[in-house]
Amino acid sequence: MTDSTLPTSFVVTLSCPDRPGIVHAVAGALLEAGCNIADSQQYGSPSTGNFFMRVEATTSSSQAELSSAVSPVAEEFGMKWQINPVGQKVRTLILGSKDAHCLNDLLFQQRSGTLPIEVPAIVSNHRDLEGLAEFYGIPFHHIPVTPDTKAQAEAKLLALIHEHGIELTVLARYMQVLSNELCSELNGKAINIHHSFLPSFKGAKPYHQAHARGVKIIGATAHYVTADLDEGPIIEQEVIRVDHARTAEQFVQMGRDVEGRTLAQAVQWHAEHRVLLDGTRTVVFN
């Protein structure tokens, strides 16, 4: 696709050390590129001293021309920055194991047009999800994982990521711990869903643990994958109230619903370039 055929609406995201004049400089660069700013959000973090900005703009300039206008400002302020066409689908690889609810939610929303992702492949360490992948017409890759084959399995996974030009990897209840090396490779580009309102009830049967403890809320947390298990920067969380009359099985079903919604919301915000990393935290623009 050439620059001349790209959409004329773009989203510009950036982060840099906070200092006076950033907004003025960015707005001036966009004006130089003939942009009309449709939406602009910014945040200066008092705890880290970093500045974050997300701008949607329309222009008759190409993406390359827009990049050329912004580049000198980015260099002056030491920015990490991106320019993406608004609405361009993010190429996404989904990993699963046996539970289908999160995968199905993502695929259904993608097909219905509410989730701006493109899914060229699904990977699982089991075959339970193969039928679901077939239903949605997406190639399914069975990559078994054992302690002895973990390195080879991750090498196959990385090969698929490179082959398909994957921009985002989603762990949709993928019950494998990624190696530190793979986590580093996917830093800021992999999202996991955790089956509790972190940091509680880790391990096997979390909803049964919660039921046994008589909790009053259960929930889910979507976060970026890091080498620190289930401790990556949090993107979205949701909780629902439960009471003593609910069974453990009802906890499980209610939890699955929350997991699906939470993961889909996190993926949507990432795909719309609304999430910026601030160390161990995230800035999520509405």
Side-chain angles (χ1 to χ4, degrees):
M1 182 178 286
T2 64
D3 284 341
S4 62
T5 62
L6 287 171
T8 57
S9 294
F10 298 93
V11 56
V12 182
T13 54
L14 61 91
S15 62
C16 62
D18 200 359
R19 61 184 253 203
I22 299 173
V23 174
H24 180 269
V26 171
L30 295 178
L31 178 61
E32 178 185 333
C35 289
N36 178 49
I37 295 176
D39 181 72
S40 179
Q41 300 178 68
Q42 55 268 338
Y43 171 70
S45 172
S47 57
T48 64
N50 293 324
F51 177 83
F52 304 87
M53 191 172 187
R54 181 185 187 276
V55 181
E56 286 191 21
T58 57
T59 179
S60 58
S61 298
S62 68
Q63 185 170 353
E65 291 169 333
L66 182 55
S67 295
S68 295
V70 174
S71 184
V73 174
E75 184 175 353
E76 177 185 354
F77 288 91
M79 295 175 177
K80 296 179 181 178
W81 61 293
Q82 288 186 343
I83 296 177
N84 293 281
V86 171
Q88 179 171 282
K89 293 181 179 180
V90 173
R91 292 182 64 80
T92 302
L93 178 70
I94 304 179
L95 310 182
S97 288
K98 293 185 176 182
D99 290 335
H101 55 288
C102 286
L103 174 62
N104 186 61
D105 282 357
L106 293 172
L107 297 180
F108 176 79
Q109 292 193 42
Q110 185 271 332
R111 174 174 285 188
S112 65
T114 59
L115 197 60
I117 61 173
E118 178 183 358
V119 184
I122 294 168
V123 172
S124 178
N125 55 325
H126 298 281
R127 290 197 175 275
D128 300 59
L129 304 176
E130 190 168 7
L132 184 60
E134 182 179 353
F135 174 80
Y136 281 99
I138 299 173
F140 179 85
H141 299 266
H142 178 223
I143 304 180
V145 183
T146 69
D148 293 334
T149 64
K150 187 178 182 68
Q152 297 93 317
E154 290 194 346
K156 291 180 181 179
L157 179 59
L158 270 177
L160 280 173
I161 289 173
H162 295 148
E163 176 187 348
H164 291 286
I166 297 300
E167 302 167 279
L168 175 65
T169 300
V170 178
L171 283 65
R173 302 296 288 129
Y174 182 63
M175 305 308 290
Q176 289 291 319
V177 178
L178 304 186
S179 68
N180 291 354
E181 293 76 17
L182 186 55
C183 289
S184 297
E185 179 81 16
L186 300 179
N187 182 46
K189 297 180 290 184
I191 296 175
N192 185 36
I193 185 68
H194 193 278
H195 44 54
S196 70
F197 190 59
L198 290 176
S200 61
F201 302 118
K202 296 182 181 181
K205 294 191 173 181
Y207 296 113
H208 290 75
Q209 294 180 50
H211 182 267
R213 291 287 301 274
V215 302
K216 305 308 178 194
I217 59 170
I218 59 174
T221 297
H223 60 90
Y224 285 115
V225 174
T226 65
D228 295 321
L229 183 62
D230 296 328
E231 294 185 11
I234 292 171
I235 304 170
E236 172 65 336
Q237 294 179 292
E238 183 180 339
V239 296
I240 53 175
R241 296 198 65 82
V242 292
D243 60 32
H244 60 278
R246 300 284 185 178
T247 65
E249 289 69 28
Q250 287 174 321
F251 272 36
V252 171
Q253 184 56 56
M254 295 168 71
R256 286 173 177 166
D257 292 342
V258 175
E259 289 168 17
R261 289 196 302 271
T262 305
L263 180 59
Q265 182 65 83
V267 170
Q268 180 171 1
W269 283 337
H270 178 96
E272 292 176 348
H273 311 289
R274 297 183 181 278
V275 188
L276 299 176
L277 285 169
D278 187 17
T280 58
R281 306 174 68 218
T282 60
V283 173
V284 182
F285 289 118
N286 296 327

